[in-house]
Amino acid sequence: MKLTLLGTGDAVGTPKIGCNCPACEDARKGGKSQRLRSSILVEADQGKILIDTSPDLRQQFLKQNLSCVDGVIWTHGHYDHYAGFGEFYRVQNKVNVYGVRETLEYIDQYVSFLKPRYHYVKLYEPFELIGLQFTLFKVNHPPVEVPAGVIICEGNKKVVVTGDTNSKIPETSLELMGNPDLLIADAIVPPHIHIKKHMNSEEAMALAEQLNAKEVVLTHLSHLFRPHHIEALFLPLGYDGQVFEL
């Protein structure tokens, strides 16, 4: 199994429009602080799956030389996680999409013209795609009604993607998330900042320790961190195009 972080930024991305902070300046110079919005590419011998479809999907596909995928999993109905689905127009028809009913029905209001093939998934019930086992689990991302994270398994290898969440993840989910080989964790801001619907980096690292994660990478990062080359000395910050092979 191979995972590529196509976008590691928050909803506004880095550089943020109109901002001249150190991270945004580093991003404009082409540094790793430059962050597109959130998408993850999952690859196996039998195909390719996207977790979320960033507004920057066209740019991400061009960078990775991608022309099609075998399916999309949506974690929740926020703009920065689904809005790029329209980039499939005249590229790929009737894409198979997976998620909880509430998420798919909400997103359908915006993407129905593409006639995706909807597959309603129940939380905590595994399903198979491209030879991998996927499981959606509930997280806490107010005011979203049913936000989901994703567990991906192949043999004895396990990846946990928290999706957008704060630290108040349900106990049932925490039990399933335990002992991952890789934890891809939402960590939108540095430790001195607290946001109601996301984890900061300190909370994300505490979650990694609680879950006994072998490896952790922080994503969904805002421009409020220091430039990547500085912050990455202290935290396992993800960056666009980063690849993990398990």
Side-chain angles (χ1 to χ4, degrees):
M1 149 171 54
K2 177 181 174 182
L3 294 95
T4 305
L5 305 183
L6 301 181
T8 55
D10 65 346
V12 299
T14 305
K16 179 181 177 182
I17 293 171
C19 182
N20 298 306
C21 75
C24 289
E25 287 298 301
D26 179 60
R28 289 191 182 92
K29 294 174 184 175
K32 286 183 178 177
S33 301
Q34 186 178 84
R35 302 185 187 280
L36 301 176
R37 272 73 65 86
S38 185
S39 295
I40 299 173
L41 176 66
V42 183
E43 298 178 85
D45 291 341
Q46 297 180 32
K48 302 177 178 69
I49 296 292
L50 279 178
I51 298 177
D52 291 332
T53 52
S54 156
D56 303 310
L57 196 67
R58 180 177 184 275
Q59 190 174 349
Q60 292 166 347
F61 266 51
L62 291 171
K63 279 188 173 183
Q64 297 294 324
N65 197 29
L66 287 170
S67 58
C68 66
V69 295
D70 298 284
V72 167
I73 296 172
W74 279 315
T75 60
H76 65 293
H78 276 165
Y79 158 83
D80 55 317
H81 290 260
Y82 76 80
F85 190 77
E87 299 297 345
F88 282 112
Y89 184 61
R90 294 185 182 173
V91 174
Q92 189 174 352
N93 295 322
K94 299 180 179 179
V95 180
N96 290 300
V97 296
Y98 301 80
V100 299
R101 180 176 291 274
E102 291 87 346
T103 296
L104 297 191
E105 289 182 347
Y106 176 80
I107 296 175
D108 180 62
Q109 299 175 76
Y110 302 92
V111 304
S112 59
F113 72 98
L114 288 167
K115 297 180 170 38
R117 295 189 177 104
Y118 293 106
H119 302 269
Y120 299 114
V121 174
K122 293 184 178 179
L123 294 175
Y124 308 115
E125 292 190 5
F127 57 101
E128 289 196 6
L129 297 172
I130 63 169
L132 305 177
Q133 183 187 85
F134 293 82
T135 306
L136 301 189
F137 59 90
K138 190 172 185 180
V139 292
N140 195 349
H141 186 51
V144 178
E145 185 178 352
V146 192
V150 185
I151 296 170
I152 313 163
C153 293
E154 182 180 36
N156 62 355
K157 296 296 183 180
K158 178 179 179 180
V159 176
V160 172
V161 181
T162 68
D164 285 13
T165 186
N166 60 27
S167 59
K168 298 176 182 177
I169 298 171
E171 190 64 35
T172 302
S173 298
L174 291 172
E175 291 174 7
L176 279 181
M177 296 165 68
N179 300 301
D181 295 279
L182 173 65
L183 173 67
I184 302 174
D186 171 18
I188 195 170
V189 290
H192 61 278
I193 303 173
H194 295 274
I195 293 180
K196 181 179 179 181
K197 58 185 180 179
H198 291 276
M199 291 186 290
N200 64 26
S201 58
E202 183 176 38
E203 291 167 328
M205 294 304 294
L207 176 66
E209 183 174 357
Q210 180 183 357
L211 297 177
N212 193 32
K214 292 179 182 176
E215 185 175 6
V216 58
V217 61
L218 305 183
T219 189
H220 208 277
L221 305 167
S222 74
H223 71 121
L224 298 175
F225 286 96
R226 292 173 292 182
H228 182 95
H229 64 280
I230 298 173
E231 203 73 74
L233 297 173
F234 308 98
L235 289 168
L237 297 190
Y239 57 87
D240 290 10
Q242 188 172 6
V243 174
F244 297 90
E245 297 196 45
L246 291 88

